[in-house]
Structures are given as structure tokens and as C-alpha cells.
Amino acid sequence: MALQNIGIRLLQKTQNVLVVFQKRSKAIYTNASCFNEEEIKEKLQAFPGGSIDLIKQDSGIAVLTINNPNHKNAFTGTMMIQLKDRIDQLEQWTEGKGLIVQGTANTFCSGSDLNAVRALSSCQDGMKMCMFMQNTLTQLLRLPLISVALVEGKALGGGAELTTACDFRLMAPRSEIRFVHKHMGLVPGWGGGARLVRIVGSQNALKMLSTACKVDPDLALQTRLADGILVSNEEGRPLEDALKWLSDFTKGPAAVIRSVKKVVLSGRELTSDEALKTEKEVFGSVWGGPANLEALAQRPKHK
């Protein structure tokens, strides 16, 4: 009976935490914001090509690949929709702990496909695409997975913005991140500008956006845009190295790793009081849980 009561309490705690995060992870733009997701999806469907591929590994780390090599992995309309669908799948992956986002053919992503950009050139359509992609990349950033952008080759425009929607960025030799929006008469619209300020600070963000400079691995590391530089560009080696790098962060039970990410998210996005309350709820969901009880039974000594 005692064990049954403990199980019920743990279930209730977990449900409370889920409610907290469901409230916080709602889309930025909804029908109340005059945003109709199905309407913009219908328009994006008119621009096919490429794919967003997802592989979930038994290790709890997934690999999401931007696959449009004939156009330097630029996002077509259907790829934008597929990205949203893949992130929806990752949200439901309860065994997941980590995620690597990469491009195929030694290139990360060159932003939006120009055919879609030209066809959606009206202010109204551009705003709808902007809201759709902001919702999608915010959802990516808020996944309860520790995420890494693996940058090989070039990450340009929207591709550069995509890197900022991951928790970490690893860069291969001779790769670059470049916010080229200025040369297109634009500013970031997928949330990359706001996220960049949080990552590198306002002065560095202003320099990167106003000059559209090439941020190579050394400069990225210096400004904290990158968290590591990989040693090799050999075929398959960057992904292998990135998986090894991420595995240091994802050791342990999925419930614990996901809870760690949730605590960090709350501290980053909520007010101090709300973050403290959320941390309490997350703590309660793992206290007395299987991982906690197993650790107590082993009486670990911290070195």
C-alpha cells in the first residue's frame, strides 16, 4: 500500500510538471494573434523539394538532418513544414535525451529557398512565414532535449538563425556562421536576432548583424557563439565527434536529463519567482523516483 501511494504521488507530481511546461511551451503566435497555421502551411506546400530527416538512436540521442544538397540545404516550403512535424515527434519522444541538428553534404543550411522567398514577397505572407518559423524554432529550443547544432560548411541567413535555436554549437574546421540578412535588405525574422543577443551579448550581436561578417570557428569560440571546434572534416567524422561530445551531457536516465533541461529553460525564460516555483515542481517529479532511489541505494561518493 505504501509503495502504491508513493507511485500515485510521483505520478501526480509528474503531471503537475507537465502542466507547467505545456502552459509555457505554447506557440508564441496563435489564432488570437491573427495567425492561422494551416493557412501558411497551405502556401508553403506549393514549394516542394528536399527533406528533413530524423533518426532516433537507442542511446537517446536523435539526429535531425537538413537534406537539400542541390540548393545548399536551403529550406523549401515543404521542408519548413517537415521541420515542425519532426519537432512535434521529438516532443513526444519520452526516451529522448539529446539532439544533433546537421546538414547533409558537408553544408549546414543556406537559409530560405529563393523560389519561396520571391513567391511570398508580400508583407503579409512574409509575416506569416516569420511567425510560423518563430513558433517552430522556439519549440525546438524548448524541447526537453540537450541540443547541438553541428555546423559544417556554411550556415547562412536562416541557417545561422537555426543554429541559435540549439543549446550548443559545434563547428567543423573551415566552417562559418553568417547572418547575411542585411545584404538581402532584411533583418533576422525567425527569432535568430533575439536569441543571438542572449548568446553573444548585444555588442557582438550588433557587429555580426550590421556587418554580416563571416564568423569562423575561432571568432565564434571567442564570442561564445560556438562551444567547441571539431578537429576533422573527414567524411562522417564531425558527426561521430559531435555524438561523443554530446554523450558527456546525456549520461544517465532520460527523466533526469530532461528535468535538467527543464530547470535551465525555466531559469532562462521565466521570471525569478516563476523559475523557482517551476524548479520546485521539477525537483518534486524526480525526488523519490527510480533514479534517485537507485543512487541512494548505491551510496555514491562524490569526488
Side-chain angles (χ1 to χ4, degrees), residues 15 31 49 94 134 158 171 183 192 209 214 286:
Q15 289 173 337
N31 290 336
T94 56
Q134 280 194 15
M171 297 183 70
H183 295 321
L209 295 178
K214 296 180 181 179
V286 292

Side-chain angles (χ1 to χ4, degrees), residues 2 20 27 33 39 66 87 100 118 131 150 162 224 232 247 297:
V20 170
S33 311
E39 180 184 344
I66 308 156
I87 294 171
I100 291 178
R118 293 189 187 101
M131 290 189 283
L150 169 55
L162 175 58
R224 298 186 177 181
S232 175
S247 68

Side-chain angles (χ1 to χ4, degrees), residues 19-217:
V19 168
V20 170
F21 280 93
Q22 283 169 353
K23 288 180 179 178
R24 187 168 54 78
S25 61
K26 284 181 179 178
I28 298 173
Y29 305 105
T30 62
N31 290 336
S33 311
C34 299
F35 173 65
N36 187 324
E37 183 175 297
E38 294 307 314
E39 180 184 344
I40 187 60
K41 276 186 175 181
E42 185 176 345
K43 291 192 175 185
L44 292 173
Q45 287 283 9
F47 308 100
S51 63
I52 303 295
D53 306 325
L54 178 63
I55 297 176
K56 300 174 186 175
Q57 301 182 350
D58 292 338
S59 63
I61 297 178
V63 179
L64 187 144
T65 304
I66 308 156
N67 188 358
N68 192 13
N70 292 334
H71 297 276
K72 298 180 181 178
N73 292 334
F75 271 96
T76 63
T78 53
M79 287 172 68
M80 293 181 189
I81 296 171
Q82 285 182 21
L83 179 63
K84 173 71 169 65
D85 292 342
R86 300 294 178 263
I87 294 171
D88 285 343
Q89 293 172 26
L90 288 168
E91 255 187 350
Q92 302 303 317
W93 187 35
T94 56
E95 297 83 13
K97 298 187 284 186
L99 171 68
I100 291 178
V101 180
Q102 66 167 4
T104 193
N106 301 314
T107 298
F108 187 74
C109 174
S110 59
S112 302
D113 180 72
L114 290 180
N115 291 326
V117 170
R118 293 189 187 101
L120 299 172
S121 59
S122 74
C123 178
Q124 191 174 34
D125 284 342
M127 289 283 282
K128 290 175 182 176
M129 182 184 69
C130 165
M131 290 189 283
F132 180 82
M133 289 303 290
Q134 280 194 15
N135 276 353
T136 299
L137 295 190
T138 299
Q139 185 183 3
L140 169 60
L141 185 61
R142 290 175 175 172
L143 284 174
L145 309 173
I146 299 175
S147 58
V148 175
L150 169 55
V151 181
E152 297 180 80
K154 296 181 179 181
L156 306 177
E161 293 192 64
L162 175 58
T163 70
T164 67
C166 294
D167 299 311
F168 300 105
R169 283 148 294 282
L170 297 177
M171 297 183 70
R174 296 182 295 282
S175 62
E176 67 179 68
I177 298 174
R178 191 177 183 189
F179 296 85
V180 297
H181 307 76
K182 170 186 172 181
H183 295 321
M184 298 295 293
L186 295 170
V187 297
W190 295 358
R195 291 189 297 270
L196 183 65
V197 171
R198 291 191 175 191
I199 295 168
V200 303
S202 59
Q203 287 189 323
N204 284 324
L206 188 57
K207 291 175 184 177
M208 292 176 188
L209 295 178
S210 63
T211 64
C213 62
K214 296 180 181 179
V215 183
D216 64 18

Side-chain angles (χ1 to χ4, degrees), residues 2-18 281-293:
L3 288 175
Q4 184 179 14
N5 290 337
I6 291 173
I8 292 172
R9 286 199 298 270
L10 285 173
L11 179 59
Q12 289 172 338
K13 290 176 182 178
T14 303
Q15 289 173 337
N16 289 338
V17 173
L18 287 173
E281 294 295 336
V282 176
F283 175 82
S285 72
V286 292
W287 177 269
N292 178 226
L293 294 177

